[in-house]
Amino acid sequence: MASDRPTKDPTPPDGNGGDEPISNEAFVAMHSDPRFTELKRRLYRFIFPMSIAFMAWYLLYVLMSAFGRDIMGTNLFGSVNVALVFGLLQFVSTFGIAVLYTRYANRNFDRSAAELRDELQNGATTQKREDNR
C-alpha cells in the first residue's frame, strides 16, 4: 500500500550537503566576525540576568524551606500551604523563562544566527577573507 506522505530528503539541510567539513580557519574567521560578537552579546544580555534571577528565586525557596518553616507551613486553603505554592511556582517560572527566551531569541538573534551559520557552512566567510587579501 503506497503512502501519500512525502518522503524525507536524505540530504541534510546544512548548505554543503554534509560532504565537506568546515575548516578551522572558517571557524576562527567567524569567531572574530563583529556580527558574531554582537550575536553573543545579545545572547548573554538575556542569559546572565535571567540565570541570576532564577537562581535567586530558587535560593529563596531553599532558604525558606530550611529556615522559614513556620511561614512555609502556613496553610493557605485546605491542605495547600505556602511551601507547596512556592514549589509549584518554581515549575511555572521555569516554563515562563523558556517562553521568554523563545520570544527573545526569535526577536533578537535567530535570523542573524541563521545567516552566519549559512555563511559558515557555504564557505562564504573564507571566501570573503580570501577576497580581502
Side-chain angles (χ1 to χ4, degrees), residues 89-108:
L89 287 174
Q90 291 291 316
F91 288 103
V92 170
S93 63
T94 301
F95 289 114
I97 289 170
V99 168
L100 286 174
Y101 175 77
T102 301
R103 288 181 183 169
Y104 182 83
N106 287 336
R107 279 193 323 263
N108 293 293

Side-chain angles (χ1 to χ4, degrees), residues 62-121:
V62 171
L63 291 174
M64 289 296 291
S65 294
F67 301 111
R69 290 190 177 268
D70 293 338
I71 295 171
M72 296 295 268
T74 303
N75 284 335
L76 297 175
F77 53 90
S79 60
V80 175
N81 62 14
V82 173
L84 180 62
V85 172
F86 260 51
L88 292 174
L89 287 174
Q90 291 291 316
F91 288 103
V92 170
S93 63
T94 301
F95 289 114
I97 289 170
V99 168
L100 286 174
Y101 175 77
T102 301
R103 288 181 183 169
Y104 182 83
N106 287 336
R107 279 193 323 263
N108 293 293
F109 53 83
D110 279 355
R111 187 177 300 131
S112 299
E115 289 171 3
L116 290 174
R117 182 186 62 240
D118 288 344
E119 270 188 39
L120 184 64
Q121 291 174 337

